[in-house]
Amino acid sequence: MIVVMRAGCADEHISAVGRRLDEAGYGQHISRGEQRTIIGVIGLGDAEKQTLADQIESMPGVERVIFVLKPYKLVSSESRADRTVVRVGNACFGGTGIVVVAGPCSVESREQIVEAARAVKAAGAQVLRGGAFKPRTSPYDFQGLGPEGLDLLAEARAETGLPIVTEARAVKDVELVAEQADIIQIGARNMQNYDLLQAVGETRVPVVLKRGLSATIDEWLKAAEYVAVNGNMNIILCERGIRTFETSTRNTLDISAVPVAKQLTHLPVIVDPSHAGGRRDIVPALSLAAIAAGADGLLIEVHPHPDRALSDGAQSLTPDAFARLMSELRSVGEAVGRPLVQAPRQDLPGASWEP
Ligand code: PEP
Ligand code: MN
């Protein structure tokens, strides 16, 4: 259930509705927009709803009470006055500009991650990516450097000032990743790992939630709701391609997921063209298409030496190819009214970012 307050209503009216919900034993999520405040009510059973809705509707300052029929209530576009903007350092996911996250699939060594970080920053990326805990399909493949990888990412952040995103593969990783990273990634294979979603929901660290390999948009948004209902609304949805019958690409980029997810939710939506295509030659085309379709940003794999990468070399761009793509993105971004926001200033070594 959603309580929509009148435009410009007094704070005491908002608090009074909050108190009434507290008394009735319901959780709430208050969203203060520029125009209106909206209160999402959590935990109502069907029978109780109507009576409470009638009572609240007659309180001062309340415009109307609506029932959200969708199973994802907190992340649904109806439950918020404005779109969510997730701020990490100078990057605003869901703001007016496009945010580009770039870096290698895996953190492999200090030299590799620092070189990658410098290169992506020089080309204009605002956030550095790199996997320390890698979810690999084969147990014989490189599994990531684990905690050492996190330390190396922190060094690359200190060198460049770029905030970092990295995956938490299991519940046991969450505490450490939440301490060290600026954004926690939930990988496609873990989109329906509900214990993990709950664990990241209990932190307040921004989360990139990848769409599962075979997940419908509805399942993806329900997964986001798990994070939200545990208290963390800093969610960035990431479309990374889905399984289809097509074999010429690693996955099929579901470009429709961008406008559909943006219609259904208030969350920022970014696209990962690297895992979608699985081939570096088509990463630029997919990236430009994603921005033209309304994506709020991109997550792109870039490796200083893709031919020597320990994972996903075939889909990783070289720093030069990435720099060329960034200039193309600038033009497409401008054409669709989404400027490419510049990287954080270089004079912030070791800055720690507050979400
Ligand atoms: C990754 O980002 O390196 C990754 C493993 O992505 P996904 O979970 O989308 O496969
Ligand atoms: Mn990868």
Side-chain angles (χ1 to χ4, degrees), residues 18-305:
R19 279 197 304 278
R20 178 72 192 84
L21 291 168
D22 281 343
E23 280 162 23
Y26 300 118
Q28 54 199 271
H29 178 83
I30 301 186
S31 153
R32 288 174 198 271
E34 273 181 20
Q35 300 290 327
R36 265 174 221 292
T37 293
I38 286 179
I39 305 171
V41 185
I42 305 161
L44 272 186
D46 278 351
E48 309 148 288
K49 275 185 196 162
Q50 197 58 54
T51 323
L52 187 66
D54 292 345
Q55 290 168 355
I56 289 183
E57 209 153 42
S58 61
M59 291 178 74
V62 175
E63 184 174 293
R64 68 198 138 100
V65 175
I66 36 182
F67 292 107
V68 179
L69 299 175
K70 299 200 180 71
Y72 34 90
K73 298 187 192 311
L74 295 176
V75 304
S76 125
S77 44
E78 291 157 35
S79 73
R80 241 191 101 103
D82 301 319
R83 298 203 65 79
T84 288
V85 177
V86 178
R87 287 188 179 79
V88 183
N90 289 1
C92 289
F93 293 87
T96 46
I98 304 160
V99 178
V100 178
V101 179
C105 179
S106 304
V107 180
E108 299 167 2
S109 66
R110 185 179 193 284
E111 296 66 40
Q112 175 248 16
I113 192 66
V114 170
E115 195 179 340
R118 289 206 178 109
V120 301
K121 178 173 176 168
Q126 299 103 315
V127 182
L128 174 68
R129 64 149 289 151
F133 299 95
K134 292 304 301 176
R136 303 308 300 280
T137 304
S138 164
Y140 304 115
D141 287 341
F142 178 58
Q143 303 285 309
L145 297 179
E148 189 198 337
L150 295 181
D151 292 341
L152 296 177
L153 277 168
E155 285 189 41
R157 171 177 53 200
E159 291 272 338
T160 57
L162 291 181
I164 53 183
V165 54
T166 195
E167 178 161 352
R169 194 177 53 193
V171 174
K172 66 179 167 43
D173 308 333
V174 171
E175 203 181 326
L176 193 60
V177 173
E179 250 171 52
Q180 302 246 51
D182 302 287
I183 306 177
I184 307 174
Q185 178 170 315
I186 299 297
R189 292 159 187 78
N190 263 323
M191 189 206 84
Q192 286 178 309
N193 179 339
Y194 299 114
D195 289 339
L196 185 58
L197 297 175
Q198 180 176 341
V200 298
E202 284 165 2
T203 76
R204 293 296 173 271
V205 180
V207 176
V208 163
L209 178 62
K210 295 253 192 138
R211 180 178 178 187
L213 278 73
S214 300
T216 62
I217 294 176
D218 187 69
E219 288 161 341
W220 185 27
L221 301 186
K222 284 175 185 153
E225 187 77 11
Y226 265 92
V227 179
V229 83
N230 281 288
N232 190 350
M233 292 300 289
N234 296 309
I235 306 164
I236 302 155
L237 297 170
C238 179
E239 159 62 37
R240 45 77 73 205
I242 49 173
R243 276 268 155 94
T244 68
F245 53 80
E246 183 52 66
T247 53
S248 52
T249 49
R250 181 175 177 180
N251 292 289
T252 297
L253 176 60
D254 181 8
I255 206 83
S256 346
V258 175
V260 171
K262 288 194 69 167
Q263 238 171 53
L264 294 174
T265 79
H266 50 77
L267 300 174
V269 179
I270 64 170
V271 165
D272 170 350
S274 310
H275 292 86
R279 299 165 29 173
R280 79 172 69 92
D281 61 333
I282 62 169
V283 164
L286 300 183
S287 304
L288 300 174
I291 296 307
D296 296 299
L298 296 163
L299 188 142
I300 303 175
E301 286 186 341
V302 178
H303 194 291
H305 308 283

Side-chain angles (χ1 to χ4, degrees), residues 3-25:
V3 181
V4 183
M5 303 301 294
R6 283 185 209 288
C9 80
D11 275 354
E12 67 211 56
H13 293 152
I14 299 170
S15 326
V17 173
R19 279 197 304 278
R20 178 72 192 84
L21 291 168
D22 281 343
E23 280 162 23

